[in-house]
Amino acid sequence: MTLLGDAAHLMPPLGVGVNLAVLDAAELAPALAGSATIGAAVRGYEKTMLPR
Ligand SMILES: Cc1cc2nc3c(=O)[nH]c(=O)nc-3n(C[C@H](O)[C@H](O)[C@H](O)COP(=O)(O)OP(=O)(O)OC[C@H]3O[C@@H](n4cnc5c(N)ncnc54)[C@H](O)[C@@H]3O)c2cc1C
C-alpha cells in the first residue's frame, strides 16, 4: 500500500492539491511500469514523494 494526493500531503487548501496529486501519479506510474516488483516501485516512488 502507498498514498498519493491529499491522503499523502496533509496541508491547508492552498490551491495546489491537484498539482501534488498529479505529480505523485506521474511518478508512481513509471515506477510501477519500470520496477521488477511492486515493493521496489513503491519504495522508489516514496523516496521522492515523502520529502515532498
Ligand atoms: C473548495 C476546494 C477548492 C479547491 N481548489 C483547488 C484549486 O484551485 N487547485 C488545486 O490544485 N486544488 C484545489 N483543491 C484541492 C483539490 O481538490 C485536492 O487536492 C485534490 O482533489 C486531491 O485529489 P485526491 O485524488 O488526492 O483526493 P480526492 O479528490 O478527495 O479523491 C478521493 C476520492 O476517494 C473517495 N473515497 C473516500 N473514501 C473512500 C472509501 N472508503 N472507499 C472508496 N472511495 C473513497 C472519495 O469519494 C473521492 O472521490 C480544492 C479543494 C477544495 C475542497
Side-chain angles (χ1 to χ4, degrees), residues 1-46:
M1 188 181 86
T2 191
L3 300 173
L4 70 162
D6 278 8
H9 307 287
L10 185 61
M11 57 187 295
L14 297 172
V16 297
V18 171
N19 299 276
L20 283 174
V22 170
L23 181 56
D24 286 346
E27 291 178 351
L28 180 57
L32 287 168
S35 300
T37 66
I38 292 176
V42 166
R43 279 190 295 279
Y45 157 72
E46 290 182 346

